[in-house]
Structure formats: structure tokens, C-alpha cells
Amino acid sequence: MFSITVRDHIMIAHSFRGEVFGPAQRLHGATFLVDATFRREQLDDDNIVVDIGLATRELSSVVGDLNYRNLDNEPDFAGVNTSTEYLARVVADRLAERVHRGALGEGAKGLAELTVTLHESHVAWASYERAL
């Protein structure tokens, strides 16, 4: 399996419900490095996984919709604990929609998988992997 990874970042505010979250139940900020890894079994006709420029642009657009937002106030996240794991899935699903709409070009039709990883710090991160 071949892969490429592109990276961006987001800064959000949010709070959690549930005692398991301790002090994170209060409003707090988080900055995440966001990696999107695209995979395919065979390279396309240009011998690439996907156009890195297009992948970078689309990841930037997806995270841009979340950046500098208090997720507690966003209708898409009403009543949801926006954990790192959950946000990784949101980013992956939004990227997948763009792949299926053709935003990453014709060559992206051969993509098999997408993994999005949100790095909370240098010692903790969460990922979501999905088929394309």
C-alpha cells in the first residue's frame, strides 16, 4: 500500500460533559496538528498516490471551517463531546466527501483509505481510519 500524508493544524475551544473529563468539563482551548494520510494499492498514471497540492488545499479548507471556533457554539456539534477521536472522524468524513466530489482530481478515484490523526501533544494523539 502506498501513502502520502499532508499536515495542517487547528485551534479550537470546547468543553466536555461527564466526570471522566475532570477539569476539561470547563471551557478550554486545544491546538491540534492534523495529519491526513491517503492510501492506495497502486500508483496512478502519474506514479503518485494523489496530488499533494490538492490534498493540502482540501485539508486546509476542512480544518479552516473549525479553526478559531468554540465548538460548544457550533450547531454541528450540539450536545456532542468533541473528543480528539470524534474530531478525527469529523475531519476524515469531511475530507472523504471532498474526495468523492472530485476535489482531489481524477487520480483520487483510486484511493482506498484515509486516516486522519489529531495530535494533542508530542505524547498523545488519536486517529480515525476509513475506506474511500
Side-chain angles (χ1 to χ4, degrees):
M1 188 76 72
F2 294 94
S3 69
I4 63 112
T5 301
V6 295
R7 176 173 276 182
D8 208 318
H9 73 282
I10 54 174
M11 293 185 274
I12 56 103
H14 63 168
S15 59
F16 295 122
R17 287 172 314 289
E19 291 195 29
V20 68
F21 295 105
Q25 292 177 81
R26 293 187 296 273
L27 183 64
H28 63 280
T31 300
F32 299 105
L33 283 177
V34 182
D35 290 335
T37 301
F38 299 86
R39 291 185 186 83
R40 66 188 303 148
E41 290 189 28
Q42 301 296 323
L43 298 176
D44 72 6
D45 292 340
D46 296 310
N47 280 334
I48 62 174
V49 173
V50 71
D51 183 309
I52 289 176
L54 293 177
T56 300
R57 180 188 74 192
E58 295 306 313
L59 176 60
S60 178
S61 181
V62 167
V63 299
D65 291 342
L66 301 172
N67 205 20
Y68 294 110
R69 301 281 197 289
N70 178 347
L71 301 184
D72 294 349
N73 297 332
E74 295 295 313
D76 287 350
F77 302 113
V80 173
N81 275 332
T82 51
S83 65
T84 306
E85 299 90 333
Y86 181 84
L87 290 174
R89 186 181 77 185
V90 167
V91 173
D93 289 346
R94 290 180 180 184
L95 270 176
E97 288 174 18
R98 291 166 182 258
V99 169
H100 294 301
R101 285 196 323 250
L104 276 76
E106 285 295 310
K109 289 182 179 178
L111 291 172
E113 298 174 354
L114 168 65
T115 301
V116 170
T117 302
L118 272 64
H119 301 264
E120 290 191 54
S121 72
H122 66 289
V123 296
W125 55 89
S127 298
Y128 181 76
E129 185 174 319
R130 58 162 290 156
L132 289 173

